[in-house]
Amino acid sequence: MGYTALYRKFRPDTFADVKGQDAIVQTLKNQINADRIGHAYLFCGTRGTGKTTVAKILAKAVNCEHPIDGNPCNECATCKAIAAGSSMNVIEIDAASNNGVDNIREIREETTYSPTEGKYKVYIIDEVHMLSIGAFNALLKTLEEPPSYVIFILATTEAHKIPITILSRCQRYDFKRISILTIADRLTQLMKEEQVEVEEKAIRYIARKADGSMRDA
Ligand SMILES: [Zn+2]
């Protein structure tokens, strides 16, 4: 058995388990329930506040065969393929190492083909502020006329570096730093599930040190 980092093991796979971002989660669930999903989302906020986690849950929920109140079922073939990273419908790109215009042109070409399974192709572009000017311009062309089956989720810790032309095409969500109390509650819950005995004082100390980041905690 390989070692799984704790933040991966405990990464929420439903919106209900995402703590401290209630308004964002509720808005997204409403959109899924009403089948009014946007084509471009911008998730902003400091590290460890749930941007990538929420992006992955959203990617599953829009493709899920049997969504439950806006949540992915995590049981159907589509959910399982996405969770395993083997789905062709969910593409994660790290803009820090793929920041050139050619990288984005490649994506643009791909988006001309509709998904072979499921409803949506979801592109999650992490650290999107790292894209070059040329890459942003190429991305803008796609955001201006997105195919109906494409969803972009752009994530960034530095929203002020995103060109206004891109911002104006996205639904923006600002992820808050997570409160000490919320982090402590989640840690307590997880330790109970793991049957680990831990002093309340220790939980509070870690929650405080995490400085708003659930992942760090
Ligand atoms: Zn499912």
Side-chain angles (χ1 to χ4, degrees):
M1 279 288 282
Y3 172 75
T4 306
L6 287 176
Y7 79 88
R8 289 220 167 141
K9 179 174 178 187
F10 295 135
R11 172 172 266 171
D13 52 16
T14 65
F15 285 124
D17 280 341
V18 176
K19 304 299 179 192
Q21 310 295 355
D22 296 0
I24 293 172
V25 162
Q26 192 55 52
T27 307
L28 293 174
K29 272 170 51 179
N30 290 347
Q31 289 188 3
I32 294 159
N33 283 330
D35 205 14
R36 294 171 60 113
I37 295 146
H39 289 291
Y41 293 88
L42 180 66
F43 289 177
C44 317
T46 51
R47 50 199 294 275
T49 49
K51 300 184 296 296
T52 312
T53 297
V54 170
K56 285 187 176 163
I57 297 171
L58 179 59
K60 267 193 278 183
V62 297
N63 278 307
C64 177
E65 292 158 36
H66 317 286
I68 306 154
D69 184 32
N71 278 295
C73 73
N74 291 310
E75 298 286 336
C76 71
T78 309
C79 280
K80 282 187 173 155
I82 293 171
S86 61
S87 169
M88 304 287 279
N89 283 12
V90 180
I91 301 99
E92 282 190 77
I93 300 129
D94 177 11
S97 46
N98 301 280
N99 64 349
V101 64
D102 290 341
N103 299 115
I104 300 298
R105 282 205 186 119
E106 218 171 277
I107 295 171
R108 277 185 61 195
E109 248 158 63
E110 271 180 39
T111 59
T112 57
Y113 304 101
S114 56
T116 48
E117 53 182 34
K119 282 187 278 185
Y120 292 97
K121 271 188 176 173
V122 184
Y123 291 85
I124 301 172
I125 308 184
D126 214 2
E127 303 293 346
V128 70
H129 60 273
M130 303 288 278
L131 289 182
S132 67
I133 296 291
F136 269 127
N137 285 335
L139 180 62
L140 184 61
K141 289 203 178 118
T142 309
L143 294 183
E144 278 169 346
E145 286 174 28
S148 59
Y149 48 79
V150 169
I151 300 171
F152 280 96
I153 305 174
L154 314 177
T156 183
T157 49
E158 298 182 53
H160 60 279
K161 290 186 181 166
I162 312 290
I164 189 119
T165 46
I166 298 281
L167 290 176
S168 70
R169 296 276 162 190
C170 297
Q171 287 183 35
R172 176 173 172 164
Y173 294 84
D174 286 287
F175 284 64
K176 290 185 295 186
R177 291 154 64 91
I178 301 166
S179 74
I180 294 169
L181 189 66
T182 304
I183 293 176
D185 281 352
R186 176 71 173 160
L187 291 178
T188 306
Q189 177 200 342
L190 291 174
M191 290 310 99
K192 218 177 257 170
E193 281 170 25
E194 290 293 302
Q195 298 180 320
V196 173
E197 263 187 58
V198 55
E199 283 180 44
E200 204 192 317
K201 213 163 71 180
I203 293 260
R204 253 185 294 132
Y205 178 78
I206 291 168
R208 203 165 52 235
K209 280 283 177 195
D211 195 25
S213 165
M214 189 69 89
R215 180 176 55 212
D216 288 359

